Amino acid sequence: MGLTTGACLASLGHHVVCADADPHKVDRLRRGEVDILEPGLPELVRDGQASGHLEFTQDTKASVAGAEVVFFCLPTPMGVGGAADLAAVEAVSDEIRTALPHGCVVVNKSTVPVGTAERVAALLGRPDITVVSNPEFLREGHAVHDFLHPDRIVIGAAEQEAARRVAGLYAPLDAPVVLTDTASAEIAKYAANFFLAMKLSFVNNLATLCEHFTADVDDVVAALGHDPRIGPAFLKPGPGWGGSCLPKDTHALLTVCEESGVEFPLLRATIDTNLEHQSRLVERVVAECSPGAGTPHDARPGTLPGALSGAQPGARPGAPSGALSDGSGGSANGSLHGVTLALLGLTFKAGTSDLRDSPALAIARRLRERGAELRAYDPALSETRPDLSDLLTIVDTPEKAVEGARACVVLTEWPQFRELDWEAVAGLLTAPVVYDFRNLLDPDRLARAGLSWQGIGRSLAMVS
Protein backbone atom coordinates (compact mmCIF):
# COMPACT_ATOMS: atom_id res chain seq x y z
CA MET A 1 0.00 0.00 0.00
CA GLY A 2 2.84 2.41 0.79
CA LEU A 3 4.62 1.86 -2.51
CA THR A 4 1.39 2.25 -4.47
CA THR A 5 0.56 5.46 -2.60
CA GLY A 6 3.99 6.93 -3.18
CA ALA A 7 4.24 5.97 -6.85
CA CYS A 8 0.72 7.19 -7.63
CA LEU A 9 1.19 10.52 -5.82
CA ALA A 10 4.42 10.99 -7.76
CA SER A 11 2.53 10.31 -11.00
CA LEU A 12 0.21 13.19 -10.09
CA GLY A 13 3.20 15.55 -10.04
CA HIS A 14 4.06 15.58 -6.33
CA HIS A 15 7.61 15.07 -5.08
CA VAL A 16 7.57 11.91 -2.96
CA VAL A 17 10.26 10.33 -0.79
CA CYS A 18 9.49 6.76 0.31
CA ALA A 19 11.32 5.45 3.37
CA ASP A 20 11.70 1.80 4.35
CA ALA A 21 13.84 0.13 7.01
CA ASP A 22 14.80 -2.75 4.71
CA PRO A 23 18.01 -1.76 2.83
CA HIS A 24 17.64 -4.58 0.29
CA LYS A 25 14.12 -3.45 -0.60
CA VAL A 26 15.29 0.14 -0.98
CA ASP A 27 18.16 -0.92 -3.26
CA ARG A 28 15.85 -2.99 -5.45
CA LEU A 29 13.32 -0.17 -5.73
CA ARG A 30 16.05 2.27 -6.69
CA ARG A 31 16.84 -0.12 -9.54
CA GLY A 32 13.16 -0.13 -10.51
CA GLU A 33 12.64 -3.70 -9.32
CA VAL A 34 9.20 -4.27 -7.78
CA ASP A 35 8.72 -7.63 -6.06
CA ILE A 36 4.96 -7.51 -5.56
CA LEU A 37 2.56 -8.52 -8.31
CA GLU A 38 0.61 -5.33 -8.98
CA PRO A 39 -0.26 -4.33 -12.58
CA GLY A 40 1.12 -0.94 -13.57
CA LEU A 41 3.17 -0.43 -10.41
CA PRO A 42 6.64 -1.25 -11.79
CA GLU A 43 6.11 1.22 -14.62
CA LEU A 44 5.00 3.97 -12.21
CA VAL A 45 8.04 3.36 -10.00
CA ARG A 46 10.45 3.58 -12.93
CA ASP A 47 8.69 6.62 -14.44
CA GLY A 48 8.62 8.39 -11.08
CA GLN A 49 12.35 7.98 -10.56
CA ALA A 50 13.13 8.98 -14.14
CA SER A 51 11.13 12.20 -13.70
CA GLY A 52 12.72 12.97 -10.35
CA HIS A 53 9.36 12.92 -8.58
CA LEU A 54 10.00 9.67 -6.68
CA GLU A 55 12.91 8.78 -4.38
CA PHE A 56 13.67 5.91 -2.01
CA THR A 57 15.67 6.01 1.20
CA GLN A 58 16.37 4.00 4.32
CA ASP A 59 16.78 7.17 6.40
CA THR A 60 13.36 7.78 7.91
CA LYS A 61 14.27 11.06 9.59
CA ALA A 62 15.83 12.46 6.44
CA SER A 63 12.77 11.49 4.42
CA VAL A 64 10.50 13.85 6.36
CA ALA A 65 12.83 16.85 6.19
CA GLY A 66 11.03 19.62 4.34
CA ALA A 67 7.87 17.53 3.94
CA GLU A 68 4.51 19.28 3.89
CA VAL A 69 2.59 16.02 4.33
CA VAL A 70 3.88 12.75 5.84
CA PHE A 71 1.95 9.55 5.14
CA PHE A 72 2.05 6.62 7.55
CA CYS A 73 1.71 3.52 5.35
CA LEU A 74 2.71 1.07 8.04
CA PRO A 75 1.77 -2.53 8.81
CA THR A 76 -0.91 -3.03 11.44
CA PRO A 77 -1.07 -6.84 11.66
CA MET A 78 -3.36 -8.82 13.90
CA GLY A 79 -1.92 -8.82 17.41
CA VAL A 80 -2.65 -10.78 20.55
CA GLY A 81 -6.36 -11.41 20.99
CA GLY A 82 -7.21 -10.03 17.54
CA ALA A 83 -6.41 -6.39 18.25
CA ALA A 84 -4.46 -4.38 15.67
CA ASP A 85 -0.74 -4.28 16.47
CA LEU A 86 0.29 -0.62 16.36
CA ALA A 87 3.95 -1.20 17.21
CA ALA A 88 5.16 0.13 13.84
CA VAL A 89 2.95 3.21 14.07
CA GLU A 90 4.19 3.97 17.57
CA ALA A 91 7.85 3.36 16.70
CA VAL A 92 7.80 5.65 13.66
CA SER A 93 5.92 8.35 15.57
CA ASP A 94 8.66 8.34 18.19
CA GLU A 95 11.42 8.26 15.57
CA ILE A 96 10.30 11.27 13.54
CA ARG A 97 8.62 13.46 16.16
CA THR A 98 11.53 15.90 16.42
CA ALA A 99 12.39 15.74 12.71
CA LEU A 100 8.98 16.80 11.40
CA PRO A 101 8.96 20.29 9.89
CA HIS A 102 6.91 22.91 11.66
CA GLY A 103 3.25 22.86 10.61
CA CYS A 104 3.34 19.72 8.47
CA VAL A 105 0.43 17.26 8.38
CA VAL A 106 0.78 13.60 9.37
CA VAL A 107 -1.64 11.29 7.58
CA ASN A 108 -2.62 7.85 8.83
CA LYS A 109 -3.06 5.83 5.63
CA SER A 110 -2.86 2.52 7.46
CA THR A 111 -5.97 0.75 8.72
CA VAL A 112 -6.02 1.56 12.43
CA PRO A 113 -8.45 1.32 15.35
CA VAL A 114 -10.70 4.18 16.33
CA GLY A 115 -8.77 6.80 18.27
CA THR A 116 -5.40 6.16 16.61
CA ALA A 117 -5.18 9.66 15.12
CA GLU A 118 -5.50 11.12 18.60
CA ARG A 119 -3.01 8.57 19.91
CA VAL A 120 -0.43 9.48 17.26
CA ALA A 121 -0.93 13.18 18.01
CA ALA A 122 -0.21 12.47 21.67
CA LEU A 123 2.89 10.41 20.80
CA LEU A 124 4.23 13.19 18.58
CA GLY A 125 3.64 15.78 21.27
CA ARG A 126 3.75 18.55 18.68
CA PRO A 127 0.88 21.09 18.91
CA ASP A 128 1.95 22.45 15.51
CA ILE A 129 1.37 19.06 13.82
CA THR A 130 -2.12 17.93 12.78
CA VAL A 131 -2.83 14.21 12.41
CA VAL A 132 -5.34 13.30 9.69
CA SER A 133 -7.03 9.98 8.91
CA ASN A 134 -7.10 9.15 5.18
CA PRO A 135 -7.82 5.40 4.86
CA GLU A 136 -7.07 3.55 1.66
CA PHE A 137 -9.67 1.52 -0.24
CA LEU A 138 -7.43 -0.36 -2.65
CA ARG A 139 -7.93 -3.87 -3.99
CA GLU A 140 -4.86 -6.02 -4.36
CA GLY A 141 -4.25 -6.66 -8.02
CA HIS A 142 -6.08 -3.41 -8.87
CA ALA A 143 -4.34 -1.02 -6.48
CA VAL A 144 -2.92 1.39 -9.06
CA HIS A 145 -6.23 1.62 -10.90
CA ASP A 146 -8.16 2.10 -7.64
CA PHE A 147 -5.82 4.85 -6.45
CA LEU A 148 -6.02 6.79 -9.71
CA HIS A 149 -9.74 6.12 -10.21
CA PRO A 150 -11.16 6.13 -6.66
CA ASP A 151 -14.85 5.79 -5.93
CA ARG A 152 -14.39 8.01 -2.87
CA ILE A 153 -11.69 9.78 -0.88
CA VAL A 154 -12.26 9.86 2.88
CA ILE A 155 -10.45 12.46 4.97
CA GLY A 156 -10.93 12.78 8.71
CA ALA A 157 -9.45 15.78 10.47
CA ALA A 158 -10.04 18.01 13.45
CA GLU A 159 -8.85 21.08 11.54
CA GLN A 160 -10.37 22.14 8.23
CA GLU A 161 -7.10 23.57 6.89
CA ALA A 162 -5.31 20.23 7.33
CA ALA A 163 -8.17 18.42 5.60
CA ARG A 164 -8.01 20.91 2.73
CA ARG A 165 -4.27 20.35 2.29
CA VAL A 166 -4.66 16.58 2.12
CA ALA A 167 -7.65 16.82 -0.23
CA GLY A 168 -5.57 19.04 -2.50
CA LEU A 169 -3.14 16.19 -3.11
CA TYR A 170 -5.94 14.33 -4.88
CA ALA A 171 -7.20 17.34 -6.85
CA PRO A 172 -6.35 15.82 -10.28
CA LEU A 173 -8.61 12.84 -9.52
CA ASP A 174 -12.32 12.97 -10.24
CA ALA A 175 -13.82 11.47 -7.09
CA PRO A 176 -16.22 12.47 -4.32
CA VAL A 177 -14.46 13.59 -1.14
CA VAL A 178 -15.95 12.76 2.26
CA LEU A 179 -14.70 15.24 4.86
CA THR A 180 -15.33 14.12 8.42
CA ASP A 181 -13.70 13.71 11.83
CA THR A 182 -10.88 11.26 12.46
CA ALA A 183 -12.96 8.72 14.40
CA SER A 184 -15.57 8.52 11.62
CA ALA A 185 -12.88 8.04 8.97
CA GLU A 186 -11.25 5.28 11.02
CA ILE A 187 -14.57 3.49 11.53
CA ALA A 188 -15.45 3.87 7.84
CA LYS A 189 -12.45 1.77 6.79
CA TYR A 190 -13.22 -1.03 9.25
CA ALA A 191 -16.90 -0.90 8.38
CA ALA A 192 -16.18 -1.27 4.66
CA ASN A 193 -14.04 -4.37 5.14
CA PHE A 194 -16.48 -5.88 7.61
CA PHE A 195 -19.35 -5.39 5.17
CA LEU A 196 -17.41 -7.09 2.37
CA ALA A 197 -16.55 -10.02 4.64
CA MET A 198 -20.20 -10.25 5.68
CA LYS A 199 -21.32 -10.51 2.04
CA LEU A 200 -18.84 -13.32 1.43
CA SER A 201 -19.91 -15.25 4.52
CA PHE A 202 -23.51 -14.74 3.47
CA VAL A 203 -23.06 -16.10 -0.04
CA ASN A 204 -21.06 -19.10 1.17
CA ASN A 205 -23.80 -20.00 3.64
CA LEU A 206 -26.36 -19.37 0.90
CA ALA A 207 -24.48 -21.87 -1.26
CA THR A 208 -24.93 -24.51 1.45
CA LEU A 209 -28.66 -23.82 1.48
CA CYS A 210 -28.79 -24.12 -2.30
CA GLU A 211 -27.06 -27.50 -2.16
CA HIS A 212 -29.64 -28.71 0.34
CA PHE A 213 -32.55 -27.84 -1.95
CA THR A 214 -30.89 -28.66 -5.30
CA ALA A 215 -30.90 -24.99 -6.23
CA ASP A 216 -28.26 -23.07 -8.19
CA VAL A 217 -26.47 -20.42 -6.15
CA ASP A 218 -25.32 -18.63 -9.32
CA ASP A 219 -28.93 -18.10 -10.39
CA VAL A 220 -29.93 -17.02 -6.90
CA VAL A 221 -27.08 -14.50 -6.80
CA ALA A 222 -28.00 -13.22 -10.27
CA ALA A 223 -31.50 -12.52 -8.98
CA LEU A 224 -30.11 -10.73 -5.95
CA GLY A 225 -27.54 -8.75 -7.92
CA HIS A 226 -30.13 -7.07 -10.12
CA ASP A 227 -31.49 -5.38 -7.00
CA PRO A 228 -29.64 -2.03 -6.83
CA ARG A 229 -29.93 -2.11 -3.05
CA ILE A 230 -27.79 -5.26 -2.99
CA GLY A 231 -25.67 -5.39 -6.17
CA PRO A 232 -23.63 -8.33 -7.48
CA ALA A 233 -20.20 -7.48 -6.03
CA PHE A 234 -18.69 -9.84 -3.45
CA LEU A 235 -21.46 -12.40 -3.93
CA LYS A 236 -19.32 -15.18 -5.40
CA PRO A 237 -19.04 -18.36 -3.32
CA GLY A 238 -15.56 -19.69 -2.66
CA PRO A 239 -13.31 -21.35 -0.09
CA GLY A 240 -13.85 -18.56 2.42
CA TRP A 241 -12.48 -15.05 2.68
CA GLY A 242 -8.96 -14.03 3.62
CA GLY A 243 -6.10 -11.87 2.45
CA SER A 244 -4.11 -9.13 4.11
CA CYS A 245 -7.11 -7.02 5.20
CA LEU A 246 -10.43 -8.73 5.88
CA PRO A 247 -9.32 -11.20 8.60
CA LYS A 248 -7.23 -8.75 10.60
CA ASP A 249 -9.69 -5.89 10.23
CA THR A 250 -12.77 -7.89 11.23
CA HIS A 251 -10.95 -9.24 14.29
CA ALA A 252 -9.63 -5.78 15.15
CA LEU A 253 -13.13 -4.31 14.89
CA LEU A 254 -14.49 -7.12 17.05
CA THR A 255 -11.84 -6.33 19.67
CA VAL A 256 -12.76 -2.64 19.54
CA CYS A 257 -16.42 -3.54 20.10
CA GLU A 258 -15.63 -5.84 23.00
CA GLU A 259 -13.37 -3.28 24.67
CA SER A 260 -16.03 -0.61 24.20
CA GLY A 261 -18.86 -2.79 25.54
CA VAL A 262 -20.70 -2.61 22.21
CA GLU A 263 -22.56 -5.78 21.20
CA PHE A 264 -22.14 -6.61 17.50
CA PRO A 265 -23.31 -10.22 17.04
CA LEU A 266 -23.38 -9.92 13.24
CA LEU A 267 -19.62 -9.32 13.24
CA ARG A 268 -18.92 -12.42 15.31
CA ALA A 269 -21.29 -14.47 13.13
CA THR A 270 -19.47 -13.29 9.99
CA ILE A 271 -16.14 -14.58 11.31
CA ASP A 272 -17.58 -17.86 12.64
CA THR A 273 -19.49 -18.55 9.42
CA ASN A 274 -16.26 -18.26 7.43
CA LEU A 275 -14.52 -20.86 9.59
CA GLU A 276 -17.51 -23.20 9.55
CA HIS A 277 -17.73 -22.97 5.77
CA GLN A 278 -14.09 -23.99 5.38
CA SER A 279 -14.69 -26.93 7.72
CA ARG A 280 -17.61 -28.09 5.57
CA LEU A 281 -15.50 -28.02 2.42
CA VAL A 282 -12.70 -30.01 4.04
CA GLU A 283 -15.12 -32.58 5.43
CA ARG A 284 -16.53 -33.09 1.94
CA VAL A 285 -13.08 -33.99 0.64
CA VAL A 286 -12.35 -36.19 3.66
CA ALA A 287 -15.64 -38.05 3.34
CA GLU A 288 -15.08 -38.84 -0.32
CA CYS A 289 -11.31 -39.31 -0.49
CA SER A 290 -10.36 -41.07 2.74
CA PRO A 291 -8.93 -44.58 2.33
CA GLY A 292 -11.74 -47.10 2.09
CA ALA A 293 -14.21 -44.52 0.78
CA GLY A 294 -13.90 -45.90 -2.74
CA THR A 295 -13.72 -43.74 -5.83
CA PRO A 296 -15.28 -40.31 -5.25
CA HIS A 297 -18.76 -40.59 -6.65
CA ASP A 298 -19.83 -39.44 -10.06
CA ALA A 299 -21.69 -36.16 -9.55
CA ARG A 300 -24.85 -37.32 -11.30
CA PRO A 301 -27.60 -34.85 -12.20
CA GLY A 302 -29.76 -34.40 -9.16
CA THR A 303 -27.07 -35.33 -6.64
CA LEU A 304 -25.74 -32.79 -4.22
CA PRO A 305 -21.97 -33.10 -3.88
CA GLY A 306 -21.01 -32.39 -0.29
CA ALA A 307 -24.54 -31.59 0.86
CA LEU A 308 -25.56 -32.33 4.41
CA SER A 309 -27.03 -35.81 4.42
CA GLY A 310 -29.77 -36.71 6.84
CA ALA A 311 -31.00 -33.12 7.11
CA GLN A 312 -34.66 -32.54 6.53
CA PRO A 313 -36.06 -29.76 4.35
CA GLY A 314 -36.31 -26.63 6.44
CA ALA A 315 -33.47 -27.61 8.79
CA ARG A 316 -31.04 -24.83 9.62
CA PRO A 317 -28.16 -24.91 7.06
CA GLY A 318 -25.01 -26.12 8.74
CA ALA A 319 -26.83 -27.56 11.74
CA PRO A 320 -25.44 -30.89 12.97
CA SER A 321 -27.18 -33.69 11.14
CA GLY A 322 -24.82 -36.62 11.36
CA ALA A 323 -21.73 -37.23 9.28
CA LEU A 324 -21.24 -35.56 5.97
CA SER A 325 -21.72 -38.23 3.36
CA ASP A 326 -22.49 -38.70 -0.27
CA GLY A 327 -23.09 -42.41 -0.21
CA SER A 328 -19.46 -43.26 -1.00
CA GLY A 329 -18.76 -44.71 2.40
CA GLY A 330 -16.59 -41.84 3.66
CA SER A 331 -16.94 -40.29 7.08
CA ALA A 332 -16.44 -36.81 8.44
CA ASN A 333 -14.22 -38.46 11.05
CA GLY A 334 -12.10 -40.14 8.35
CA SER A 335 -8.40 -39.78 7.76
CA LEU A 336 -6.52 -38.77 4.64
CA HIS A 337 -3.30 -40.57 5.60
CA GLY A 338 -1.74 -41.98 2.45
CA VAL A 339 -3.88 -39.78 0.19
CA THR A 340 -2.25 -37.29 -2.19
CA LEU A 341 -4.31 -34.28 -3.25
CA ALA A 342 -3.50 -31.71 -5.94
CA LEU A 343 -4.18 -28.06 -5.13
CA LEU A 344 -4.56 -25.49 -7.90
CA GLY A 345 -3.98 -22.02 -6.47
CA LEU A 346 -2.56 -20.87 -3.14
CA THR A 347 -2.76 -17.06 -3.22
CA PHE A 348 -5.78 -15.55 -1.53
CA LYS A 349 -7.13 -14.44 -4.90
CA ALA A 350 -6.05 -14.34 -8.53
CA GLY A 351 -3.90 -11.47 -9.75
CA THR A 352 -1.66 -11.30 -6.68
CA SER A 353 1.21 -13.22 -5.12
CA ASP A 354 -0.07 -12.49 -1.61
CA LEU A 355 -0.44 -15.50 0.68
CA ARG A 356 -1.36 -13.62 3.85
CA ASP A 357 -4.34 -15.33 5.50
CA SER A 358 -5.13 -17.04 2.21
CA PRO A 359 -8.26 -19.21 2.41
CA ALA A 360 -6.45 -21.63 0.09
CA LEU A 361 -3.77 -22.13 2.73
CA ALA A 362 -6.43 -22.42 5.44
CA ILE A 363 -8.02 -25.29 3.50
CA ALA A 364 -4.59 -26.82 2.86
CA ARG A 365 -3.71 -26.77 6.56
CA ARG A 366 -6.94 -28.51 7.48
CA LEU A 367 -6.37 -31.17 4.83
CA ARG A 368 -2.80 -31.64 6.03
CA GLU A 369 -4.01 -32.01 9.61
CA ARG A 370 -6.16 -34.89 8.38
CA GLY A 371 -3.07 -36.56 6.98
CA ALA A 372 -3.17 -35.64 3.29
CA GLU A 373 -0.03 -35.22 1.22
CA LEU A 374 -0.40 -32.02 -0.78
CA ARG A 375 1.12 -30.91 -4.08
CA ALA A 376 0.28 -27.41 -5.25
CA TYR A 377 0.67 -25.23 -8.30
CA ASP A 378 0.15 -21.48 -8.40
CA PRO A 379 1.21 -19.34 -11.39
CA ALA A 380 2.33 -16.51 -9.08
CA LEU A 381 4.64 -18.67 -6.96
CA SER A 382 7.92 -20.45 -7.58
CA GLU A 383 9.00 -23.81 -6.19
CA THR A 384 11.24 -22.14 -3.61
CA ARG A 385 9.23 -19.04 -2.73
CA PRO A 386 7.74 -19.10 -0.25
CA ASP A 387 8.96 -21.97 1.89
CA LEU A 388 5.86 -24.01 2.64
CA SER A 389 7.67 -27.34 2.80
CA ASP A 390 6.20 -28.19 6.19
CA LEU A 391 2.73 -27.98 4.67
CA LEU A 392 2.94 -28.91 1.00
CA THR A 393 5.13 -29.24 -2.07
CA ILE A 394 5.00 -26.46 -4.67
CA VAL A 395 5.56 -27.62 -8.26
CA ASP A 396 6.04 -25.62 -11.44
CA THR A 397 3.24 -27.05 -13.60
CA PRO A 398 -0.38 -28.10 -13.01
CA GLU A 399 0.44 -31.50 -14.52
CA LYS A 400 3.06 -32.19 -11.85
CA ALA A 401 0.52 -31.29 -9.19
CA VAL A 402 -2.19 -33.68 -10.39
CA GLU A 403 0.00 -36.63 -11.39
CA GLY A 404 -0.93 -39.58 -9.16
CA ALA A 405 -3.25 -37.48 -6.99
CA ARG A 406 -6.56 -38.88 -5.82
CA ALA A 407 -8.39 -35.61 -6.54
CA CYS A 408 -7.80 -32.05 -7.70
CA VAL A 409 -8.95 -29.09 -5.57
CA VAL A 410 -9.24 -25.64 -7.18
CA LEU A 411 -8.67 -22.98 -4.52
CA THR A 412 -7.76 -19.77 -6.41
CA GLU A 413 -9.67 -18.40 -9.40
CA TRP A 414 -6.74 -18.04 -11.80
CA PRO A 415 -8.38 -17.78 -15.26
CA GLN A 416 -5.67 -19.93 -16.88
CA PHE A 417 -7.01 -22.93 -15.00
CA ARG A 418 -10.03 -22.86 -17.31
CA GLU A 419 -7.71 -23.51 -20.26
CA LEU A 420 -5.92 -26.56 -18.87
CA ASP A 421 -5.85 -29.77 -20.90
CA TRP A 422 -8.45 -31.48 -18.75
CA GLU A 423 -8.24 -34.70 -20.73
CA ALA A 424 -4.59 -34.90 -19.73
CA VAL A 425 -5.52 -34.08 -16.13
CA ALA A 426 -8.06 -36.91 -16.13
CA GLY A 427 -5.37 -39.31 -17.27
CA LEU A 428 -2.99 -38.23 -14.50
CA LEU A 429 -5.42 -38.38 -11.56
CA THR A 430 -6.06 -41.71 -9.85
CA ALA A 431 -9.73 -40.77 -9.43
CA PRO A 432 -11.59 -38.53 -11.91
CA VAL A 433 -12.84 -35.83 -9.56
CA VAL A 434 -12.25 -32.07 -9.39
CA TYR A 435 -13.43 -30.07 -6.39
CA ASP A 436 -13.97 -26.61 -7.83
CA PHE A 437 -14.19 -24.50 -4.69
CA ARG A 438 -14.28 -21.32 -6.80
CA ASN A 439 -17.02 -22.37 -9.27
CA LEU A 440 -14.46 -21.38 -11.87
CA LEU A 441 -14.60 -24.24 -14.35
CA ASP A 442 -17.12 -25.32 -16.97
CA PRO A 443 -18.77 -28.54 -15.68
CA ASP A 444 -19.68 -29.65 -19.21
CA ARG A 445 -16.08 -29.20 -20.33
CA LEU A 446 -14.85 -31.37 -17.47
CA ALA A 447 -17.54 -33.97 -18.13
CA ARG A 448 -16.36 -34.27 -21.72
CA ALA A 449 -12.86 -34.88 -20.34
CA GLY A 450 -14.21 -37.71 -18.20
CA LEU A 451 -14.04 -35.79 -14.93
CA SER A 452 -16.58 -35.35 -12.17
CA TRP A 453 -16.98 -31.66 -11.36
CA GLN A 454 -18.01 -30.71 -7.83
CA GLY A 455 -18.61 -27.05 -7.15
CA ILE A 456 -20.19 -25.01 -4.38
CA GLY A 457 -23.94 -24.44 -4.23
CA ARG A 458 -24.61 -25.97 -7.64
CA SER A 459 -25.67 -29.45 -8.67
CA LEU A 460 -25.19 -30.82 -12.15
CA ALA A 461 -28.97 -30.93 -12.49
CA MET A 462 -28.79 -27.14 -12.50
CA VAL A 463 -25.69 -26.55 -14.61
CA SER A 464 -26.22 -29.15 -17.35
Side-chain angles (χ1 to χ4, degrees), residues 74-77 79 83-95 119 123:
L74 300 164
T76 54
D85 183 350
L86 297 179
V89 173
E90 294 169 350
V92 171
S93 298
D94 182 65
E95 182 179 2
R119 185 174 179 179
L123 289 170

Side-chain angles (χ1 to χ4, degrees), residues 357-417:
D357 280 307
S358 170
L361 288 181
I363 296 289
R365 290 189 186 97
R366 290 171 183 255
L367 292 171
R368 186 72 186 94
E369 288 168 0
R370 304 301 284 270
E373 295 295 326
L374 306 173
R375 284 200 305 267
Y377 168 75
D378 190 294
L381 306 177
S382 70
E383 295 177 79
T384 58
R385 180 189 176 276
D387 183 9
L388 295 171
S389 56
D390 60 332
L391 175 64
L392 49 80
T393 300
I394 298 178
V395 295
D396 59 0
T397 68
E399 291 76 18
K400 289 180 181 178
V402 301
E403 185 174 7
R406 182 170 174 83
C408 174
V409 187
V410 178
L411 293 172
T412 307
E413 72 284 17
W414 289 102
Q416 49 265 58
F417 291 158

